């Protein structure tokens, strides 16, 4: 059971790094860095929510177009 959650967290972090280029941050202050990271995580969460509850897709299929 815990391996399943670990795999989910690992895939989510990997997708954040790939899709949202989370490793490339050009923030000039720590507050700017926090804001950018928070907005990227919020965007991923929203996409996952839409996939599950609107389109009945798997949660982590974020590369599929919305149309």
């Amino acid at each position: 059971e815990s391996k399943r959650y670990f795999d989910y967290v690992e895939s989510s972090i990997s997708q954040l790094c790939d899709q949202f280029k989370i490793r490339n941050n050009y923030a000039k202050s720590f507050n700017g860095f926090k804001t950018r990271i928070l907005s990227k995580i919020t965007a991923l969460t929203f996409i996952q929510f839409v996939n599950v509850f609107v389109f009945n897709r798997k949660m982590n299929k974020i590369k599929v177009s919305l149309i």
Side-chain angles (χ1 to χ4, degrees):
E1 184 74 17
S2 64
K3 181 174 177 4
R4 187 175 118 204
Y5 292 116
F6 178 77
D7 289 342
Y8 169 74
V9 169
E10 185 177 23
S11 68
S12 294
I13 290 172
S14 176
Q15 285 179 348
L16 276 173
C17 291
D18 294 340
Q19 286 290 101
F20 296 109
K21 298 182 180 176
I22 209 160
R23 289 188 180 127
N24 298 336
N25 263 300
Y26 302 106
K28 298 194 181 354
S29 67
F30 184 66
N31 281 335
F33 174 76
K34 289 190 308 186
T35 302
R36 287 174 186 236
I37 297 298
L38 183 61
S39 67
K40 291 176 182 188
I41 292 172
T42 303
L44 176 67
T45 305
F46 178 73
I47 291 170
Q48 289 174 333
F49 176 83
V50 168
N51 273 343
V52 171
F53 295 108
V54 176
F55 294 118
N56 295 322
R57 296 181 185 146
K58 290 186 177 180
M59 183 180 298
N60 286 328
K61 294 269 184 180
I62 64 171
K63 292 186 179 181
V64 177
S65 67
L66 291 176
I67 299 173

